[in-house]
Amino acid sequence: MGASTTDNYSEDALPAFTPMPWSLKEIRAAIPSKYFVRDTSRGLLYFARDVLMAAVVWSLATAIDPYFKQTATRELLTPVGAEVARWTAWSIYWWFQGLIFTGIWVIGHECGHGAFSDHKIVNDVLGFITHTFLWTPYFSWKISHHRHHSNHASMERDEVYVPKTREDLGIPNEAEGHTIDYDEYFGDTPIYTLYMLIRQQLIAFPAYLRKFYALYYLRFTTRSNSWAVFNVSGQKNYPKWTNHFDRKCSFSTVLISNLIRSEYTANSILFTKAQRNAVILSNIGIAFMVWGVSYGCSTFGTANVIKYYGIPWLEVTHWFIMITYLHHTAAELPHYRGKEWNFQRGAAATVDRNFLGWQGRFFLHDVAHYHVIHHFFPKMPFYHGPDATQHLKAFIGDHYAYSNKPVFQALWESYNKCQFVENEGDVLFYRDKKGQAVRRPADQYRVLNTKTL
């Protein structure tokens, strides 16, 4: 950069980063082979545990309203006290059922990687069932998620959480003797920033149905009274309407017109002709969910569907967006351009987090606690993650990223600190709302006009 925006900020004083030198083969050799063994029976036991927990918690929830609405309870607690207790009980149900549902989604995620079983049919059948139940087009997601793993942290090819550049945000380059007023670009009040963060957390997952992992919003198209979903955080060369449903055919119009109108979805470039049938099958699954939820609302009442299923599902959208955002977004993590990127460098550009403590480990199958090893070796079963991570850490040393920061604090800090990267350079770090970074590329990777002089 040019002149500093804060008197005591010096880019030269930042910790210097040199990209990791090892090949994937060298890293793979440091991990004992036993951790790559997939045990279908063990995976099925985890899945059965999740389904059993969901059923038990659901069954217990059926007693909430009858108990707290009965006369004896209202006399004991007073009418107001009984209502407070009733909604407290529902909140407890939503919390734990949301975690359990998210764990079931993680099982489907394992299947999509082929990490659940050695048998492709087991992976795809179970993955299709679990993800469809939670409104995720399994095969479509599987295809684009593979592309994300294959290209993570590449500015040119990654599929999700691709940083905005200075140019994207219309911010001029800094030059010596010229100071930019960053408040003109990032002068939002904390309340508005909080609103935007909550919006990301709650409605990014529905947008994720159009393109892997999320992304920032749905737009209501008044011309057709339908929801249209945008490509808002993927590659800039993707068409505006890129989504998970369109496979260069009008099939989605017939099956899920209530979800997305094909007249507003351009032909998706995410999929090939060979993947057409798999994408159609994903659409059939989502269409079945449209029918199933509609039938449930007409049979059991919309309020009950929302209470028992809708709110826990909304929590899945929150947890998964929060987890994936924090996996891939931190001021200390690099992004790469051109020849400086390779698969193993991209895999290391993720961070393990202590996500919800024991609840994250138990209910979410360690998906947040041991994500780095997953990016290196996506077919490794989640239950080997803790032990394999110890070997990975011992080999790559400081290139392993871990944060023990409370996750909601980390979410707020990442959302405020990770604003943009520079237009030039092959090793990049996020800059905050003052244009400042917390880390810089080593001298041989720096671009002269981005240094603080």
Side-chain angles (χ1 to χ4, degrees), residues 40-227:
T40 303
S41 297
R42 186 175 180 180
L44 288 172
L45 285 175
Y46 278 107
F47 174 63
R49 185 199 73 179
D50 288 351
V51 172
L52 179 62
M53 287 193 301
V56 169
V57 171
W58 188 299
S59 179
L60 291 173
T62 62
I64 293 176
D65 286 348
Y67 177 76
F68 288 105
K69 287 183 177 182
Q70 66 181 352
T71 302
T73 304
R74 295 176 71 83
E75 290 177 351
L76 177 65
L77 301 178
T78 74
V80 173
E83 280 300 292
V84 171
R86 182 168 76 94
W87 288 111
T88 299
W90 275 114
S91 297
I92 293 171
Y93 166 76
W94 293 329
W95 174 268
F96 285 103
Q97 192 71 295
L99 290 174
I100 294 167
F101 278 8
T102 305
I104 292 173
W105 197 99
V106 172
I107 293 293
H109 170 267
E110 288 283 295
C111 293
H113 283 291
F116 187 86
S117 172
D118 286 325
H119 307 289
K120 185 176 184 297
I121 186 66
V122 174
N123 288 320
D124 284 345
V125 169
L126 187 59
F128 178 76
I129 293 171
T130 53
H131 272 198
T132 298
F133 172 71
L134 294 167
W135 289 85
T136 304
Y138 170 74
F139 293 103
S140 308
W141 163 85
K142 176 182 173 180
I143 295 165
S144 63
H145 188 54
H146 172 75
R147 292 176 63 174
H148 158 66
H149 269 263
S150 299
N151 299 286
H152 178 249
S154 166
M155 290 292 294
E156 295 92 352
R157 296 184 301 277
D158 198 0
E159 296 286 326
V160 64
Y161 297 126
V162 181
K164 298 294 184 183
T165 64
R166 183 182 289 271
E167 182 181 11
D168 291 335
L169 299 180
I171 304 172
N173 290 323
E174 290 200 19
E176 188 175 6
H178 173 69
T179 300
I180 295 173
D181 182 4
Y182 281 97
D183 284 341
E184 291 185 6
Y185 303 94
F186 302 112
D188 299 333
T189 65
I191 294 297
Y192 181 76
T193 301
L194 179 62
Y195 158 73
M196 294 296 291
L197 179 58
I198 292 173
R199 187 178 77 159
Q200 179 212 54
Q201 291 297 302
L202 292 181
I203 62 177
F205 193 80
Y208 150 88
L209 292 176
R210 62 101 194 116
K211 189 181 173 319
F212 172 65
Y213 283 138
L215 309 144
Y216 288 98
Y217 57 87
L218 295 172
R219 175 180 178 181
F220 187 72
T221 56
T222 55
R223 192 179 79 168
S224 66
N225 292 326
S226 66
W227 287 96

Side-chain angles (χ1 to χ4, degrees), residues 402-423:
Y402 176 79
S403 173
N404 198 37
K405 187 174 294 182
V407 289
F408 285 99
Q409 178 186 344
L411 179 65
W412 178 255
E413 290 184 1
S414 292
Y415 195 76
N416 281 278
K417 289 183 177 180
C418 301
Q419 297 297 321
F420 68 94
V421 297
E422 291 294 344
N423 298 327

Side-chain angles (χ1 to χ4, degrees), residues 31 34-37 42 46 110 352 361 365-367 369-374 377 380-393 400:
I31 312 296
K34 64 181 180 179
Y35 297 127
F36 294 89
V37 176
R42 186 175 180 180
Y46 278 107
E110 288 283 295
D352 286 344
R361 297 208 60 188
H365 303 298
D366 281 330
V367 69
H369 285 74
Y370 302 104
H371 185 74
V372 177
I373 191 74
H374 168 70
F377 309 109
M380 176 182 289
F382 69 87
Y383 40 80
H384 292 320
D387 292 331
T389 295
Q390 299 308 311
H391 293 274
L392 178 70
K393 287 168 59 178
Y400 170 77

Side-chain angles (χ1 to χ4, degrees), residues 280-429:
I280 289 174
L281 185 58
S282 297
N283 290 355
I284 292 173
I286 298 302
F288 174 81
M289 285 302 297
V290 171
W291 173 85
V293 170
S294 299
Y295 177 80
C297 289
S298 62
T299 304
F300 304 106
T302 301
N304 282 326
V305 172
I306 291 173
K307 284 196 297 186
Y308 286 95
Y309 174 79
I311 294 178
W313 175 81
L314 192 63
E315 287 196 40
V316 175
T317 75
H318 158 65
W319 290 129
F320 194 71
I321 292 306
M322 183 175 177
I323 290 167
T324 56
Y325 179 76
L326 289 178
H327 279 162
H328 304 95
T329 310
E332 299 81 8
L333 297 178
H335 284 78
Y336 301 95
R337 289 193 179 103
K339 63 180 177 61
E340 294 304 332
W341 180 90
N342 59 41
F343 177 87
Q344 59 271 24
R345 288 179 178 179
T350 56
V351 56
D352 286 344
R353 296 185 183 273
N354 182 7
F355 198 94
L356 302 182
W358 70 268
Q359 295 180 69
R361 297 208 60 188
F362 179 76
F363 292 108
L364 307 182
H365 303 298
D366 281 330
V367 69
H369 285 74
Y370 302 104
H371 185 74
V372 177
I373 191 74
H374 168 70
H375 253 277
F376 275 97
F377 309 109
K379 288 190 175 183
M380 176 182 289
F382 69 87
Y383 40 80
H384 292 320
D387 292 331
T389 295
Q390 299 308 311
H391 293 274
L392 178 70
K393 287 168 59 178
F395 187 83
I396 68 173
D398 291 341
H399 288 280
Y400 170 77
Y402 176 79
S403 173
N404 198 37
K405 187 174 294 182
V407 289
F408 285 99
Q409 178 186 344
L411 179 65
W412 178 255
E413 290 184 1
S414 292
Y415 195 76
N416 281 278
K417 289 183 177 180
C418 301
Q419 297 297 321
F420 68 94
V421 297
E422 291 294 344
N423 298 327
E424 299 179 351
D426 292 336
V427 181
L428 307 162
F429 289 93

